[in-house]
């Protein structure tokens, strides 16, 4: 029988409608996006937001894929994300675990450095990064898009892993040390399986960051064959106002993989309740 | 000689956790280290395991100096207070974890895990996960994990403290039986004096980072080396009497105080006293008397509160302690 907390009982009747109201509020832009994409292209745009387009047309989708090479950009974005997400998760989790294993002072210094790195705006690094990649002859390749993954993509992901590992009872790792488990074995056999929801969350965040990355492809890519989806969307934004359903159709095509990824990943967040003693406490 | 620490010191900042501890667990012995919370007993165990580095002194296991070497190379197994079972692994995988990590052949892992779980009596639980087990079952899994490697010594850090009273008694017996069957050196740390006295071959009493006495349960209880040991062991704790208070019962030399166990305070003597309070604890009753003395008598012969009784203490039941040093004074 599911356990009911006192707070749930007290606010049970009140919470649900509020949650639904908030859910609808966030769903509304998504609805306008989808509804707008089914509007007939070339017609006069409506003066007020339109809940249901009349007539319903899928012509915009055909136009979007015909006007720009969306299929290629979609595949390019998928390829870049596939090259970015696994190393980002791997490196961020290694770095987070290394922070956990470090002795007091060294750990504090590295935590401070990570926090400091988190504060630096990405745009501040744009010029030095561009200079570096050009000097290395790596502009107009996907390397500048993928390379940050080798640093965990963001210090936030490293810290997220570190905080998750820190929540695990230290005796688990001490028991493993007594059994001759080296750091890599502890990371692989103990730490990672116990922070699976965090791993999925970081993977999802890294995927979204890579998928929606507009600035880096804009700066580093010149060859249209290498373009990713955000650049393709940008080229559709120059269309006439009457053709905005085409842009929305492309936006739907761009958003769908993210929604799908979240739908697949959410079951890892909402994992079963294993009750007291799950972590041996 | 199996496990020994010599003049081991350990500090955490300004706090002295171990102040030159010297202790030895003999080959095949079950040594119980007992003391109040914060006395350094768990730190001592962690220093033996190698989970803490020592600031000074040496740790020896089977005569080998292991002070500077990593935990796994010391070949000891440890059972943690929280059991430290790996929650995502089955009982079988938990027990076999160390063997798998050491790349033991699969067939041997299977054989040794089966032998360990059978010995502990958890053969039927191998496919379950820790969160599906009761406290006692988890404790048994932790023991099986410690056993499977056949280490040189077992280190048990308050392994029974998270169990309910009934399971604790059951597991105490189980531990004793296991020690007899395995015959290995075990160091068991606890703050529970009953556990220490019932389980141990020898007991080491610790206080404030130092070992105050080492001896058989009979020795530490019957002939406590100092006032601290005398006060720590025994429920209710020992009565302490000044020279004046003790005069009706026996002569106490100047500069000393007398200690009398509650079970040695008789209620059929000559010295008048009034019963202030009676606490019944199952078969025993703790009788609080005027003047601050406490007597332990069988519950079925206990006096009633307010009753006048006559106290008696035999001379041979009185322990004498130096008032300044607290050390035992031989009569």
């Amino acid at each position: 029988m599911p356990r009911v907390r006192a707070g749930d009982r007290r606010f049970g009747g009140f919470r649900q409608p509020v949650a639904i109201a908030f859910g609808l509020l966030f769903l509304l832009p998504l609805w306008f996006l989808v509804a707008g994409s089914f509007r007939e292209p070339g017609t006069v745009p409506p003066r007020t937001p339109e809940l249901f387009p009349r007539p319903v047309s899928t012509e915009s989708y055909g136009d979007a894929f015909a006007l720009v090479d969306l299929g290629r950009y979609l595949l390019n974005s998928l390829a870049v994300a596939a090259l970015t997400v696994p190393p980002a998760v791997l490196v961020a989790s290694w770095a987070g675990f290394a922070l956990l294993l470090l002795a007091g002072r060294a750990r504090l210094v590295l935590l401070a450095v990570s926090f400091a790195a988190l504060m630096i705006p990405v745009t501040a690094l744009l010029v030095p990064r561009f200079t570096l990649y050009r000097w290395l002859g790596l502009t107009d390749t996907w390397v500048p898009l993928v390379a940050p993954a080798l640093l965990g993509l963001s210090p936030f992901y490293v810290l997220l892993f570190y905080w998750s590992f820190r929540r695990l009872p230290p005796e688990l790792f001490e028991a493993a040390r007594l059994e001759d488990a080296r750091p890599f074995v502890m990371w692989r056999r103990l730490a990672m399986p116990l922070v699976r929801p965090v791993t999925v969350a970081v993977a999802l965040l890294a995927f979204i960051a890579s998928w929606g990355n507009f600035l880096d492809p804009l700066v580093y890519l010149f060859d249209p064959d290498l373009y990713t989806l955000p650049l393709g969307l940008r080229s559709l934004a120059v269309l006439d106002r009457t053709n905005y359903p085409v842009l929305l159709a492309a936006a739907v095509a761009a958003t769908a993989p993210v929604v799908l990824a979240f739908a697949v990943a959410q079951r890892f967040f909402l994992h079963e309740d294993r009750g007291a003693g799950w972590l041996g406490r | 000689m199996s496990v020994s620490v010599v003049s081991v010191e350990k500090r955490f900042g300004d706090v002295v956790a171990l102040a030159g501890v010297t202790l030895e667990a003999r080959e095949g012995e079950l040594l119980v280290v007992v003391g109040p919370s914060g006395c350094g007993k768990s730190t001592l165990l962690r220093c033996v395991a190698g989970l803490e580095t020592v600031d000074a002194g040496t740790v020896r296991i089977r005569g080998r100096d292991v002070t500077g070497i990593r935990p796994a190379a010391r070949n000891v197994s440890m059972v943690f207070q929280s059991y430290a079972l790996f929650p995502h692994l089955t009982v079988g995988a938990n027990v076999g974890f160390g063997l798998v990590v050491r790349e033991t052949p699969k067939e041997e892992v299977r054989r040794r895990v089966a032998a360990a779980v059978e010995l502990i009596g958890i053969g039927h639980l191998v496919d379950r996960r820790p969160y599906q087990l009761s406290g006692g079952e988890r404790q048994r899994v932790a023991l099986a994990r410690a056993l499977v490697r056949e280490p040189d010594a077992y280190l048990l850090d308050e392994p029974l403290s998270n169990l309910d009273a009934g399971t604790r008694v059951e597991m105490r017996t189980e531990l004793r039986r296991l020690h007899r069957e395995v015959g290995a050196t075990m160091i068991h740390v606890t703050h529970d004096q009953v556990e220490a006295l019932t389980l141990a071959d020898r007991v080491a009493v610790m206080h404030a980072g130092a070992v105050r006495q080492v001896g058989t349960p009979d020795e530490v209880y019957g002939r406590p080396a100092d006032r601290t040991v005398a006060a720590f062991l025994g429920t209710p704790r020992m009565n302490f009497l000044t020279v004046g208070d003790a005069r009706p019962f026996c002569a106490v030399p100047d500069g000393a105080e007398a200690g009398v166990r509650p079970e040695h305070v008789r209620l059929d003597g000559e010295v008048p006293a009034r019963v202030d309070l009676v606490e019944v604890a199952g078969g025993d009753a703790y009788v609080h008397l005027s003047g601050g003395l406490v007597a332990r008598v069988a519950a079925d012969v206990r006096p009633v509160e307010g009753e006048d009784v006559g106290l008696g203490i035999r001379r041979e039941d009185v322990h004498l302690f130096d008032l300044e040093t607290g050390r035992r004074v031989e009569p």
Side-chain angles (χ1 to χ4, degrees):
Chain A
M1 200 175 125
R3 285 170 297 172
V4 181
R5 284 176 297 178
D8 292 345
R9 274 198 303 272
R10 200 184 309 158
F11 300 109
F14 165 73
R15 248 185 214 176
Q16 214 165 6
V18 172
I20 290 171
F22 268 96
L24 286 176
L25 201 67
F26 282 97
L27 265 179
L28 218 53
L30 199 66
W31 177 256
F32 286 131
L33 172 75
V34 176
S37 73
F38 286 105
R39 203 163 192 279
E40 198 174 340
T43 53
V44 182
R47 285 179 182 279
T48 53
E50 196 178 50
L51 274 178
F52 300 100
R54 285 199 193 87
V56 173
S57 163
T58 55
E59 205 180 315
S60 306
Y61 285 86
D63 288 353
F65 279 82
L67 284 170
V68 291
D69 199 352
L70 271 189
R72 174 186 281 272
Y73 301 158
L74 205 72
L75 283 177
N76 285 352
S77 278
L78 272 178
V80 170
L83 290 170
T84 305
V85 175
V89 172
L90 210 63
V91 175
S93 62
W94 281 343
F97 195 62
L99 275 175
L100 181 82
L101 296 184
L102 275 175
R105 186 159 300 206
R107 181 198 294 170
L108 275 181
V109 169
L110 282 179
L111 279 174
V113 169
S114 300
F115 272 112
L118 202 57
M119 308 291 175
I120 299 170
V122 178
T123 43
L125 300 174
L126 210 56
V127 174
R129 279 179 64 201
F130 182 80
T131 311
L132 180 70
Y133 287 127
R134 196 173 56 178
W135 181 70
L136 291 170
L138 294 171
T139 50
D140 208 20
T141 68
W142 285 342
V143 173
L145 275 54
V146 174
L150 300 176
L151 296 171
L153 207 58
S154 160
F156 174 64
Y157 303 151
V158 174
L159 292 171
L160 207 59
F161 269 114
Y162 166 66
W163 285 320
S164 312
F165 293 141
R166 231 183 80 153
R167 286 189 60 230
L168 301 174
E171 306 91 78
L172 292 183
F173 299 114
E174 289 177 346
R177 275 175 70 199
L178 283 165
E179 301 290 0
D180 209 11
R182 302 301 170 95
F184 182 75
V185 173
M186 284 195 264
W187 169 82
R188 187 168 69 89
R189 287 183 180 269
L190 298 182
M192 288 306 273
L194 292 175
V195 300
R196 199 166 289 163
V198 175
T199 308
V200 175
V202 169
L204 202 61
L205 289 171
F207 176 74
I208 292 169
S210 165
W211 191 259
N213 189 359
F214 172 69
L215 196 59
D216 287 339
L218 183 72
V219 172
Y220 298 114
L221 300 180
F222 316 122
D223 180 359
D225 285 351
L226 294 174
Y227 279 8
T228 54
L229 207 51
L231 287 184
L233 279 181
R234 176 70 201 146
S235 52
L236 283 175
V238 298
L239 286 176
D240 183 75
R241 281 189 68 219
T242 57
N243 278 320
Y244 83 94
V246 180
L247 176 63
L248 293 186
V252 169
T255 313
V258 180
V259 175
L260 193 73
F262 189 81
V264 172
Q266 69 163 345
R267 69 190 180 95
F268 291 101
F269 302 125
L270 309 171
H271 63 93
E272 58 177 314
D273 180 11
R274 294 173 175 92
W278 158 238
L279 288 173
R281 280 176 167 164
Chain B
M1 185 190 304
S2 192
V3 178
S4 65
V5 291
V6 182
S7 307
V8 164
E9 291 176 20
K10 178 70 187 172
R11 282 173 173 273
F12 295 104
D14 292 335
V15 179
V16 179
L18 299 175
V21 170
T22 297
L23 186 64
E24 180 196 333
R26 297 169 190 152
E27 185 78 46
E29 177 180 62
L30 202 171
L31 176 74
V32 178
V33 181
V34 66
S37 297
C39 71
K41 53 193 188 300
S42 286
T43 305
L44 177 67
L45 205 66
R46 291 171 62 82
C47 286
V48 173
L51 296 173
E52 300 286 353
T53 53
V54 300
D55 295 333
T58 51
V59 179
R60 291 180 176 277
I61 295 173
R62 291 209 153 169
R64 186 169 60 113
D65 186 349
V66 296
T67 315
I69 71 172
R70 63 195 171 85
R74 300 184 181 205
N75 197 25
V76 293
S77 277
M78 188 157 171
V79 175
F80 293 82
Q81 186 175 0
S82 64
Y83 319 131
L85 299 181
F86 308 130
H88 58 300
L89 300 180
T90 61
V91 166
N94 261 285
V95 174
F97 183 85
L99 299 176
V100 172
V101 165
R102 287 179 161 87
E103 294 178 353
T104 312
K106 272 185 185 169
E107 193 45 47
E108 194 184 338
V109 172
R110 220 186 331 263
R111 185 179 55 75
R112 285 169 69 174
V113 167
V117 294
E118 282 312 314
L119 181 66
I120 300 288
I122 52 166
H124 59 294
L125 301 175
V126 282
D127 293 325
R128 296 223 198 137
R129 284 173 205 278
Y131 64 89
Q132 297 169 319
L133 306 176
S134 68
E137 287 169 338
R138 279 184 214 165
Q139 180 56 265
R140 285 187 164 87
V141 178
L143 282 172
R145 187 172 69 184
L147 275 172
V148 79
R149 265 202 304 114
E150 296 164 11
D152 288 338
Y154 295 85
L155 309 175
L156 315 172
D157 187 8
E158 307 226 21
L160 309 181
S161 62
N162 283 351
L163 302 175
D164 61 75
T167 317
R168 196 180 310 158
V169 173
E170 188 188 319
M171 283 305 297
R172 213 159 62 197
T173 316
E174 187 77 4
L175 263 179
R176 189 76 207 154
R177 179 189 67 82
L178 194 68
H179 176 251
R180 207 172 47 219
E181 282 184 28
V182 177
T185 310
M186 289 185 181
I187 303 180
H188 178 121
V189 155
T190 181
H191 64 271
D192 183 338
Q193 45 162 313
V194 178
E195 192 176 308
L197 296 174
T198 51
L199 203 55
D201 289 329
R202 284 193 310 148
V203 178
V205 184
M206 277 189 77
H207 186 264
V211 173
R212 306 301 285 258
Q213 186 175 6
V214 186
T216 64
D218 285 340
E219 281 168 0
V220 292
Y221 187 77
R223 291 182 60 79
D226 61 29
R227 194 184 190 281
T228 309
V229 175
F232 181 71
L233 297 174
T235 306
R237 61 173 238 155
M238 183 181 269
N239 297 290
F240 291 99
L241 307 169
T242 60
V243 173
D245 292 338
R247 192 163 294 130
F249 306 106
C250 64
V252 174
D254 284 342
E257 65 177 334
V260 185
R261 296 269 179 221
E263 61 270 30
H264 293 144
V265 177
R266 293 182 294 115
L267 302 183
D268 57 355
E270 312 286 319
V271 183
R274 175 158 292 180
V275 175
D276 280 343
L277 183 78
V278 179
E279 292 175 297
V280 181
D284 286 338
Y286 307 146
V287 182
H288 297 255
L289 300 149
S290 55
L293 276 178
V294 179
R296 195 172 85 189
V297 298
D300 53 354
V301 296
R302 66 183 184 270
V304 292
E305 287 174 11
E307 188 180 334
D308 290 318
V309 291
L311 302 183
I313 297 171
R314 294 188 304 174
R315 177 66 194 86
E316 57 267 37
D317 292 332
V318 175
H319 306 264
L320 296 178
F321 301 102
D322 187 284
L323 263 180
E324 262 182 41
T325 63
R327 302 295 301 169
R328 182 182 186 83
V329 180
E330 292 302 333

